[in-house]
Amino acid sequence: MRHGCKVNHLSRTHAHRVAMLSNMATSLIMHKRIETTLAKAKALRVYVEPIITRAKEDTMNNRRVVFSYLHSKEAVNELFREVSQKVAQRPGGYTRILKTGIRQGDNSEMCIMELVDYNENMLKEATTKKARSTRRGRGKKAETAAEAPVAETAVETPAAEEAPKAE
């Protein structure tokens, strides 16, 4: 029985699962986006987020610990040089899982897993998004529209009075 066991074994032995997650984490760090099944992506998120958190502080011990998980010098250098700079201000949640549908061969749910700070399309939408209004907000729109001309006339009136005085 698996009472309280929270690890998804993914129908693999321990050694196979650890090797697979290490390879997937290396690919995610190097390419910033990978396509995989939903179950593997959820398992990978638990595996890679503590590694990225450790990479925020560049010390020799942290590099050694991360290398023990990734087994790739290139991925460790990429993580500590570029990825850690982008996620320095983020308190967590470094990855995003986007569901893409089902795979035709075996009907498994597929998804794209990516590092959050590297998706330019999502970053552009976040900066250009307007404040949403609700139906209750209609009265406020009418008030602000009524206040705007009053403010403009108040500014124009002193200028109109100064012009005749100058002549």
Side-chain angles (χ1 to χ4, degrees):
M1 292 186 210
R2 53 182 307 270
H3 294 297
C5 183
K6 296 184 185 346
V7 176
N8 187 353
H9 295 290
L10 301 171
S11 300
R12 287 164 172 79
T13 62
H14 175 75
H16 185 189
R17 188 172 57 252
V18 169
M20 181 190 68
L21 290 173
S22 174
N23 289 336
M24 289 176 69
T26 300
S27 296
L28 180 65
I29 290 167
M30 296 301 289
H31 301 292
K32 313 301 188 263
R33 175 184 288 186
I34 58 173
E35 185 176 357
T36 184
T37 63
L38 186 62
K40 287 180 187 175
K42 288 180 178 180
L44 179 61
R45 180 176 52 195
V46 174
Y47 186 85
V48 78
E49 295 223 358
I51 293 173
I52 296 173
T53 302
R54 190 169 282 270
K56 285 182 173 183
E57 186 181 349
D58 191 4
T59 62
M60 183 58 71
N61 184 52
N62 285 347
R63 282 183 175 264
R64 286 178 175 164
V65 170
V66 168
F67 183 76
S68 73
Y69 285 101
L70 297 180
H71 305 293
S72 170
K73 286 183 184 179
E74 293 82 16
V76 171
N77 287 335
E78 178 83 13
L79 180 64
F80 277 90
R81 287 187 185 147
E82 294 180 20
V83 176
S84 65
Q85 300 300 319
K86 285 229 179 184
V87 300
Q89 301 302 319
R90 186 175 289 276
Y94 312 112
T95 59
R96 177 185 294 128
I97 296 175
L98 303 169
K99 295 181 183 179
T100 58
I102 57 170
R103 185 164 50 196
Q104 193 170 11
D106 60 356
N107 205 32
S108 62
E109 283 192 83
M110 298 298 291
C111 67
I112 293 174
M113 186 171 190
E114 64 186 9
L115 294 175
V116 172
D117 294 317
Y118 282 92
N119 190 342
E120 291 81 16
N121 296 331
M122 294 270 191
L123 293 175
K124 287 178 187 175
E125 289 176 8
T127 57
T128 61
K129 198 176 277 188
K130 294 183 193 177
R132 292 176 50 191
S133 63
T134 61
R135 299 184 93 191
R136 294 179 302 230
R138 287 186 182 172
K140 289 191 176 194
K141 281 187 181 179
E143 289 174 13
T144 56
E147 289 174 8
V150 172
E152 290 175 9
T153 55
V155 173
E156 292 175 8
T157 306
E161 291 175 355
E162 289 176 15
K165 290 179 184 176
E167 291 177 359

